[in-house]
Amino acid sequence: MTKKTIGIIFLVTLALFAFYFCYIIAKPFLQPIITALVLAIAFHPVHIRVHKRVRNANLAALISTLLVILVIIVPTVLLGVAITRELTDTYKALSERSAEEGGWTPFIMHLLERPLAWVGKYVDLSEFNLRDALLSRLREISGFLVNFARGMVGNVTSLILNSVIAFFTLFFLFREGDHTRRRLAATIPLTHEQIEKLFADISRTITASIYGSLAVAIAQGSLTGVAFWVLGLPSPILWGVVTAIFSLIPMVGSGIVWLPAAILLILSGSYGKGIFLIIFGAAVIGTVDNIIRPYVMSGQADLPTLLLFFALFGGVQEFGIIGLFVGPIVLAISISVWKMLRDEMKIWNASLHEHKVENST
């Protein structure tokens, strides 16, 4: 081996080690970085319009970033205030009803008398102590709420930190995105057509992921709002919007809205309405995600529906909510690279065949 070959091998090995440690350093910030990339692509048309009016790159990037912050934060704050007001009114109403019964424990015991009497017709409940079981469950719920509140404090701190990192990254993506894209294209050893196709597939997949998430949010929010309106629950439009937002969060989803509402209906004595909401929520609201998202995304991104289904769920399992974008992007890159390899193999085989023909003549 020549000295030059050994030097290349050494540089490649050193680069692999450097890239690995870069990944280790960047790993805690992957979620906000990927979030910034998604937002940069989603709001790129807006930034282009801003940059046409404001020629200064720094000022245009700052204005675009502030616009994204306003679009995300202002509706979130207003919605949070409305939710807090609704939950406060519901808690006051339940507190007043429980006070009439002598406290929460007698109130809940009174609500459970009829269901337990019906169950008692078919199951022997003579040895079942309702009061002790209820007190035990209330203590467990209280402990869970305390731990949940503590966890929320840490989650809020983490959310604030990730948001700062995401918007800081977003500013630089707006400011230097086109330049970085050109430098990356110059570094990748592919033809101009292949690079453009690869970038186009990634951009189209991210756009399709956004469309798919919005379609699911609209569907689940609309279904929840209609269900609340039919059942006579308060503020169906507000809770429909809340459901639409929570439907974007994996492992949480729409159930965080309709399930507590169903429980409240049952506790208030509306057993039929509560059971109906549970069935409708589980069978209809909760399942539209599995139908609408792959359908919308497969049409927009031209990806196989079955593979997209696994990419979505696998991405969510590994990366959380950002996996809704990571999974499809990885799938799109894999399919795009596979097609490039297939085309290159066809060209190589054709060239080999021509070479054989020339040698034979």
Side-chain angles (χ1 to χ4, degrees):
M1 298 178 66
T2 63
K3 186 175 181 180
K4 184 176 181 180
T5 304
I6 295 174
I8 292 174
I9 294 174
F10 173 77
L11 288 176
V12 170
T13 305
L14 185 62
L16 291 175
F17 274 104
F19 289 150
Y20 173 74
F21 283 106
C22 285
Y23 168 75
I24 295 297
I25 294 171
K27 187 177 180 180
F29 312 107
L30 284 180
Q31 187 166 351
I33 290 173
I34 296 174
T35 302
L37 283 170
V38 172
L39 290 174
I41 293 175
F43 287 89
H44 183 68
V46 176
H47 176 63
I48 292 298
R49 292 186 178 182
V50 172
H51 202 8
K52 286 180 179 179
R53 295 176 178 272
V54 182
R55 292 298 180 181
N56 185 278
N58 287 317
L59 183 58
L62 179 61
I63 293 173
S64 298
T65 304
L66 291 175
L67 286 175
V68 175
I69 292 174
L70 289 174
V71 167
I72 294 175
I73 291 182
V74 172
T76 302
V77 172
L78 294 176
L79 190 62
V81 172
I83 293 172
T84 302
R85 187 183 299 116
E86 286 292 326
L87 292 177
T88 302
D89 293 341
T90 303
Y91 178 77
K92 287 181 178 179
L94 288 174
S95 297
E96 291 174 358
R97 290 195 60 183
S98 65
E100 296 175 358
E101 300 286 343
W104 282 102
T105 302
F107 172 59
I108 297 176
M109 289 183 65
H110 176 72
L111 292 175
L112 294 177
E113 283 180 0
R114 289 177 58 188
L116 288 176
W118 181 80
V119 173
K121 297 178 181 179
Y122 307 96
V123 181
D124 183 16
L125 298 177
S126 58
E127 297 182 0
F128 178 70
N129 191 322
L130 175 60
R131 184 179 182 83
D132 291 344
L134 184 59
L135 289 174
S136 175
R137 294 296 177 270
L138 287 175
R139 283 193 294 269
E140 292 177 4
I141 293 173
S142 299
F144 168 78
L145 292 176
V146 171
N147 293 329
F148 179 77
R150 291 174 181 171
M152 282 297 294
V153 174
N155 290 336
V156 169
T157 304
S158 176
L159 177 63
I160 293 173
L161 177 61
N162 287 340
S163 299
V164 171
I165 295 172
F167 289 124
F168 182 75
T169 306
L170 181 63
F171 168 80
F172 284 97
L173 289 175
F174 279 143
R175 193 185 74 173
E176 303 174 2
D178 291 336
H179 178 65
T180 303
R181 183 177 183 273
R182 288 193 295 269
R183 291 182 60 184
L184 184 61
T187 304
I188 299 175
L190 296 175
T191 65
H192 176 74
E193 291 75 14
Q194 289 174 328
I195 292 173
E196 290 301 320
K197 185 179 185 307
L198 188 61
F199 285 160
D201 288 342
I202 294 173
S203 178
R204 188 165 56 247
T205 302
I206 291 177
T207 304
S209 298
I210 295 173
Y211 285 156
S213 298
L214 290 177
V216 170
I218 292 171
Q220 292 190 333
S222 300
L223 288 170
T224 303
V226 170
F228 275 43
W229 176 71
V230 170
L231 296 175
L233 291 170
S235 306
I237 296 177
L238 171 63
W239 291 113
V241 174
V242 174
T243 303
I245 293 174
F246 277 112
S247 69
L248 301 173
I249 306 175
M251 311 308 293
V252 177
S254 59
I256 199 171
V257 176
W258 57 259
L259 185 57
I263 294 173
L264 287 175
L265 284 172
I266 293 173
L267 290 177
S268 62
S270 302
Y271 305 112
K273 291 183 178 180
I275 294 172
F276 168 79
L277 186 54
I278 290 175
I279 296 174
F280 183 77
V284 180
I285 300 175
T287 58
V288 295
D289 186 359
N290 303 332
I291 301 171
I292 293 179
R293 193 190 303 270
Y295 176 76
V296 172
M297 289 188 61
S298 62
Q300 291 287 331
D302 193 23
L303 296 173
T305 304
L306 180 60
L307 293 180
L308 182 59
F309 177 83
F310 287 111
L312 286 167
F313 280 86
V316 168
Q317 185 173 355
E318 288 296 324
F319 299 99
I321 184 172
I322 204 66
L324 292 173
F325 301 95
V326 174
I329 289 172
V330 172
L331 177 61
I333 293 174
S334 301
I335 292 177
S336 183
V337 171
W338 171 256
K339 289 180 179 178
M340 291 179 190
L341 287 173
R342 184 187 61 189
D343 295 339
E344 290 296 324
M345 286 299 295
K346 288 180 180 179
I347 296 173
W348 186 79
N349 287 331
S351 176
L352 185 62
H353 178 70
E354 291 178 2
H355 182 68
K356 288 182 178 179
V357 171
E358 290 176 0
N359 290 338
S360 63
T361 57

